[in-house]
Amino acid sequence: MSTTAELLKGAAELFPDEVVTSAHVRHFELPAGAGRFALITLDNGFDHTKPTTFGPQSLANLNTAIDQVEAEAANGEIVGVGITGKPFIFAVGADLKGVELLKKHDEALAIGKGGHDVFKRLSALAVPTFAYYNGAAMGGGVEVGLHCTYRTVSKALPAFSLPEVFLGLVPGWGGCAILPNLIGAEKAVSVIIENSLNQNRQLKGKQVFELGIADALFEGADFLEQSLLWTASVLKGDVSVDRPEIDRGEAWDQAVAKGRLVADSKVHGAAPAAYRALDIIEAAKDGDLQKGFDAEDQALADLIMGGELRSGIYAFNLVQKRGKRPAGAPDKSLARPVTKVGVVGAGLMASQLALLFLRRLEVPVVLTDIDQERVDKGVGYVHGEIEKLLGKGRINQDKANRLKGLVSGVLDKAEGFADADFIIEAVFEEMSVKQKVFAEVEAVAPAHAILATNTSSLSVSEMASKLQHPERVVGFHFFNPVAILPLLEIVRGEKTDDASLATAFGVAKKLKKTAVLTKDAPAFVVNRILTRFMGEIQNIIDEGTPVAVAEKAVEPLGLPMSPLVLLELVGPAIGLHVSETLNRSFPERFTVSPNLKAVVEAGKRGFYVYNAENGFKPELDPEVAALLKQGDVVLTEEQARDRVLDAVAQEIGLMLEEGVVAEAQDIDLCLITGAGWPFHLGGITPYLDREGVSERVNGKRFLAQGVASVPA
């Protein structure tokens, strides 16, 4: 059997570029004569912008620190051991860059075992141990604290989570086994499964305390000082920590069953991580932690060698890194300042945009529309949303007053836009209407002003073609709901110049959006792929496959919602309009469904009805069923899925050939941030590669082996 030190040494050799975390030990006397105490501080030597992680060398450093305090505890030299982090960061878990390099199951097993072997030693010391969650704690950072006897948490802690299931892993260094035994299965399932699958929802310090994960909660300003005072009181017996008894009966089984329902609703059995985590939680019911740790090791190794985790890490890196440094964006020094924003239109989309610009840029925003009633309604919407933020305590009264003072509405574009630097239109999706609006705006706007369009599918170049200065027109396509979906497709028209484009990217960054540069091609990225995807499903239904079979066919993708529920959200009329636009550009691949046309003409909001009797599950609307005219070609779920995936792979291949975006990575980034496609798919191209669809359709993979997959 290898020792922990040997395991970690072997793993460290595989990962020479690790950002190494030190584990500094210092000693001092606790207050009130409670005795000599050892404090371990985790620190990678960088500021809070580079959070502390655990790679193999970092775990070895912690192991060495524990060697020291273990000897001191055994000799009676110390009364307790604490562990904390550098300013603002406790620790954010395993170093995922190291995980990407692993090629063999036994290497992956060593990582799981190495973490357990080190962390377990904290609970085996001869003196009590204390974790002081002073800042952000995630994954292995949370778990190292779970192995301690007691925990305190800062009220200022901004983010605390076990995000592993979100990425395609399980909390594998004690989380699945210890947490349910500490706070009960129901709360543990909520933290490990529900929060992870809800876009990696984070807990704040107060919630960590209320859940019972931490035993005490202190202000951020003097957090460590207060934690040490509390520690002294615990060690002297002045404070006793009472934890509730854990219900190991039916409540435990119900919690696991509920977790499975949550996992089914989110990933539909398409990604294994949530189910593996639930199996471990289920087995932890008898309180045998070692059995749980062994199960975590196995699950971790299996998942590290699986495609979902590699896709999850790939997706995480896209959002965290590529999303912050957009491919093809001009030098940011070319960007011009934006001190006033104009919005053409005052409908719902325009009002949402006005609110976003107002909140993020905090500059004057002026809306215009064709009559005073619409203008007033738009400004009223923005005021109402500011009031809601005030009511929730998200902003104070001063800020609310200031924001309200910055937004205005006028009928006269000359009055509103004469000194605007950035003007965006959100009017009806019709080329002639957009061209007319831009001609009016160009006549009154300053020469340097950017003219942006929120079009979802029309040509930006054609829109700018009749202007004197087409070089300042840029596509600025947001996704609905604007406040929630991060993607912003920035479209370069044929004449768009670098300064206008750089300004657009600068604004996008201030809006905290994930900007992706796209060529001026029909429907850009997300709508083109989704329309091809939805169009193929519609074709399959039109040809004769029952609606339920066509819908169920794509369930294994684990998408956030089924295609026809998505159509309802988008609106059948908009779906039809985009399919007609794409049909004009690519008639051989994009069809216009006669059934969809019939649904729109009948004024239906979608294909489904929802009744209280069946728990509001979608049921085919009898009126829609009566409208459907189908052929007699009935496909199986598998045949339908192959048709849909082949169509999507073909379309992405063509888009990359056309240079719509720089690389396949940008397609995936768009689908994750603009359409909510799951991390475990890596967007879509890693999944198409993994399932062999890319090679079947295009004769080659989208991504090299080892990118979003296990290295060869």
Side-chain angles (χ1 to χ4, degrees), residues 361-599:
L361 271 58
E362 295 192 21
V363 299
V365 175
V366 61
L367 296 110
T368 68
D369 213 315
I370 52 174
D371 60 53
Q372 193 62 45
E373 190 184 336
R374 289 179 203 218
V375 169
D376 292 346
K377 193 177 174 188
V379 174
Y381 169 87
V382 176
H383 281 193
E385 292 300 306
I386 293 167
E387 281 297 328
K388 282 183 199 168
L389 292 168
L390 178 64
K392 289 176 186 166
R394 302 265 296 278
I395 55 173
N396 61 24
Q397 188 66 59
D398 279 354
K399 180 103 179 246
N401 293 345
R402 192 166 79 251
L403 290 176
K404 281 186 183 175
L406 285 170
V407 66
S408 61
V410 294
L411 283 176
D412 180 7
K413 291 186 181 70
E415 181 191 338
F417 298 156
D419 55 350
D421 307 301
F422 191 99
I423 300 159
I424 185 164
E425 69 73 27
V427 298
F428 186 64
E429 193 74 348
E430 179 66 55
M431 183 58 77
S432 58
V433 177
K434 305 254 192 202
Q435 285 180 330
K436 180 171 178 284
V437 160
F438 269 164
E440 290 169 0
V441 171
E442 188 180 46
V444 297
H448 69 273
I450 304 298
L451 307 186
T453 168
N454 183 44
T455 182
S456 59
S457 60
L458 300 176
S459 166
V460 174
S461 305
E462 192 184 335
M463 216 176 286
S465 61
K466 296 180 179 174
L467 298 178
Q468 287 176 316
H469 294 285
E471 70 276 2
R472 54 173 167 160
V473 176
V474 64
F476 215 61
H477 179 219
F478 289 89
F479 288 78
N480 223 341
V482 170
I484 294 169
L485 289 174
L487 180 64
L488 183 53
E489 290 176 341
I490 295 188
V491 186
R492 179 171 209 152
E494 283 167 22
K495 301 277 177 66
T496 310
D497 64 21
D498 281 356
S500 301
L501 203 58
T503 306
F505 274 100
V507 170
K509 190 169 185 180
K510 284 188 177 154
L511 294 175
K512 297 187 177 167
K513 291 293 178 189
T514 300
V516 174
L517 178 63
T518 153
K519 186 178 161 186
D520 186 20
F524 318 125
V525 180
V526 173
N527 283 343
R528 179 161 164 186
I529 293 168
L530 286 185
T531 305
R532 185 76 200 273
F533 173 78
M534 305 277 282
E536 203 54 46
I537 286 168
Q538 199 73 59
N539 290 343
I540 289 163
I541 293 169
D542 293 355
E543 288 164 19
T545 299
V547 169
V549 175
E551 285 266 84
K552 214 164 178 333
V554 293
E555 263 188 14
L557 293 173
L559 299 176
M561 62 190 75
S562 79
L564 293 182
V565 173
L566 174 64
L567 181 69
E568 204 167 293
L569 189 74
V570 170
I574 292 173
L576 180 65
H577 174 75
V578 177
S579 69
E580 287 170 341
T581 303
L582 280 159
N583 172 257
R584 285 195 292 275
S585 302
F586 310 115
E588 69 288 358
R589 299 194 312 279
F590 287 85
T591 50
V592 178
S593 162
N595 281 320
L596 178 58
K597 215 168 191 174
V599 167

Side-chain angles (χ1 to χ4, degrees), residues 49-118:
T49 58
K50 197 156 205 170
T52 304
T53 51
F54 292 120
Q57 185 55 55
S58 306
L59 284 172
N61 288 346
L62 179 56
N63 201 41
T64 303
I66 296 173
D67 283 342
Q68 180 186 339
V69 296
E70 184 180 59
E72 292 167 353
N75 295 335
E77 295 168 26
I78 53 175
V79 293
V81 175
I83 186 163
T84 193
K86 66 184 184 182
F88 309 110
I89 304 286
F90 181 78
V92 298
D95 191 324
L96 294 174
K97 289 199 293 298
V99 173
E100 285 178 89
L101 301 171
L102 300 174
K103 296 181 185 178
K104 298 187 194 129
H105 195 274
D106 58 349
E107 293 171 356
L109 198 61
I111 288 292
K113 215 171 152 356
H116 273 130
D117 288 351
V118 175

Side-chain angles (χ1 to χ4, degrees), residues 536-554 563-564 595 607-608 620 624-625 628-641 644:
E536 203 54 46
I537 286 168
Q538 199 73 59
N539 290 343
I540 289 163
I541 293 169
D542 293 355
E543 288 164 19
T545 299
V547 169
V549 175
E551 285 266 84
K552 214 164 178 333
V554 293
L564 293 182
N595 281 320
F607 277 63
Y608 293 131
L620 189 61
V624 170
L628 295 182
K629 291 186 170 58
Q630 292 182 281
D632 52 10
V633 179
V634 180
L635 302 184
T636 65
E637 282 176 30
E638 195 177 345
Q639 289 169 326
R641 182 162 57 253
V644 173

